[in-house]
């Protein structure tokens, strides 16, 4: 199976620390898409970012940044100056170019303490 | 911003009962999905639906499950005879066109508890 692995089950940081969530994926596809979703304690899944396999440029959005390294099949997510409201489960996911099925990693629980 | 809406937010049912989970996808979207998340576990694909038919389903989606788009707006998931292990959060999702690039927009989920 072409898995998505989030090796960090749970991370705890103190507010204002930077934190990086790791994601490693497997794929045999030439074209594919990678995503990050956030699941706050209220339970919904919130889309954060998508990336296609041809675009290895890193992206920054406010305190969020993403580092896509095709050579290591990784798509890591960094939160700078973390805040308590960042506490959530973060899921990395992968999709094929014309695929329907989004394959999720197991998620990383991020706890930000004040 | 348009949203995917799911009702009810929480459903409790007895084992063996039929349950229907309802979803209203974003209005101009064409692809519809159900995913489930057993408490504390990963989000798992159940089924995708396009052009009024199932386009892909997982091995979880057995004969006890069915989906329907009964009118132009609703998308339902039916579990014919619920089991204890069906207890989970069920997420509906939709997306527009654009191949795998367009992100799935998820509803807030329905928490199903089978007793």
């Amino acid at each position: 199976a072409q898995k998505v692995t989030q090796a960090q089950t749970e991370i705890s940081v103190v507010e204002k620390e930077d934190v990086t969530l790791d994601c490693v994926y497997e794929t045999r596809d030439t074209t594919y898409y990678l995503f990050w979703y956030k699941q706050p304690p209220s339970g919904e899944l919130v889309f954060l970012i998508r990336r296609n396999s041809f675009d290895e440029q890193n992206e920054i959005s406010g305190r969020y940044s993403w580092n896509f390294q095709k050579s290591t099949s990784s798509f890591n997510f960094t939160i700078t100056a973390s805040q308590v409201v960042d506490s959530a489960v973060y899921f990395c996911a992968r999709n094929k170019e014309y695929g329907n099925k989004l394959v999720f990693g197991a998620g990383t629980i991020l706890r930000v303490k004040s | 911003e348009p949203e995917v809406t799911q009702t009810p937010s929480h459903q409790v049912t007895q084992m063996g009962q039929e349950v229907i989970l309802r979803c209203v996808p974003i209005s101009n979207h064409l692809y519809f999905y159900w995913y489930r998340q057993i408490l504390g576990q990963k989000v798992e694909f159940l089924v995708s639906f396009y052009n009024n038919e199932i386009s892909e389903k997982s091995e979880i989606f057995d004969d006890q499950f069915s989906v329907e788009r009964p009118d132009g707006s609703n998308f339902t998931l039916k579990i014919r005879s619920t089991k204890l292990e069906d207890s989970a959060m069920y997420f509906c999702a939709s997306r527009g066109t654009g191949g795998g690039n367009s992100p799935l927009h998820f509803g807030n989920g329905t928490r199903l508890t089978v007793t």
Side-chain angles (χ1 to χ4, degrees):
Chain A
Q2 298 182 55
K3 297 189 300 185
V4 175
T5 301
Q6 295 179 253
Q8 305 148 307
T9 306
E10 187 170 336
I11 302 175
S12 288
V13 298
V14 177
E15 214 171 11
K16 298 184 184 173
E17 284 185 13
D18 298 347
V19 59
T20 295
L21 310 181
D22 297 334
C23 173
V24 174
Y25 60 91
E26 299 173 8
T27 186
R28 292 186 290 272
D29 302 314
T30 305
T31 304
Y32 52 90
Y33 296 87
L34 301 167
F35 303 81
W36 276 94
Y37 283 84
K38 174 182 179 180
Q39 186 175 42
S42 47
E44 69 271 27
L45 286 165
V46 179
F47 165 73
L48 295 178
I49 189 173
R50 69 177 179 272
R51 237 340 169 226
N52 76 52
S53 52
F54 294 112
D55 182 1
E56 286 194 73
Q57 279 192 336
N58 292 332
E59 179 157 339
I60 298 174
S61 175
R63 295 185 297 107
Y64 295 171
S65 62
W66 290 270
N67 183 350
F68 177 27
Q69 297 279 341
K70 205 167 175 180
S71 59
T72 55
S73 297
S74 66
F75 185 44
N76 297 337
F77 172 31
T78 297
I79 302 175
T80 303
S82 58
Q83 299 174 0
V84 172
V85 294
D86 296 328
S87 297
V89 183
Y90 290 86
F91 290 97
C92 179
R94 175 191 61 76
N95 197 6
K96 298 195 294 186
E97 180 177 13
Y98 295 106
N100 280 305
K101 186 168 62 177
L102 201 59
V103 176
F104 283 84
T108 296
I109 301 169
L110 175 64
R111 301 190 199 280
V112 182
K113 302 174 186 174
S114 58
Chain B
E1 187 175 326
E3 321 183 308
V4 176
T5 56
Q6 289 186 244
T7 53
S9 56
H10 190 187
Q11 172 120 23
V12 181
T13 190
Q14 287 191 326
M15 198 166 51
Q17 295 295 305
E18 174 183 286
V19 66
I20 297 176
L21 310 183
R22 302 181 190 281
C23 169
V24 179
I26 294 173
S27 63
N28 61 347
H29 283 187
L30 301 176
Y31 299 84
F32 313 114
Y33 305 82
W34 284 100
Y35 284 76
R36 90 170 177 194
Q37 184 184 28
I38 294 172
L39 186 64
Q41 298 188 22
K42 69 167 68 175
V43 180
E44 302 174 290
F45 169 79
L46 290 178
V47 65
S48 59
F49 192 86
Y50 170 71
N51 201 25
N52 283 320
E53 59 183 26
I54 291 173
S55 44
E56 189 172 353
K57 59 184 180 179
S58 72
E59 52 199 34
I60 303 168
F61 194 88
D62 62 22
D63 292 345
Q64 294 300 312
F65 291 88
S66 62
V67 289
E68 197 175 34
R69 189 154 162 81
D71 52 43
S73 59
N74 290 285
F75 179 52
T76 61
L77 173 69
K78 183 194 290 186
I79 309 175
R80 194 180 357 250
S81 177
T82 50
K83 304 187 280 278
L84 292 176
E85 53 264 39
D86 293 328
S87 295
M89 179 78 97
Y90 288 81
F91 290 102
C92 174
S94 69
R95 67 178 176 91
T97 55
N101 187 39
S102 54
L104 268 63
H105 294 266
F106 286 87
N108 287 350
T110 293
R111 182 168 297 287
L112 176 65
T113 303
V114 182
T115 60

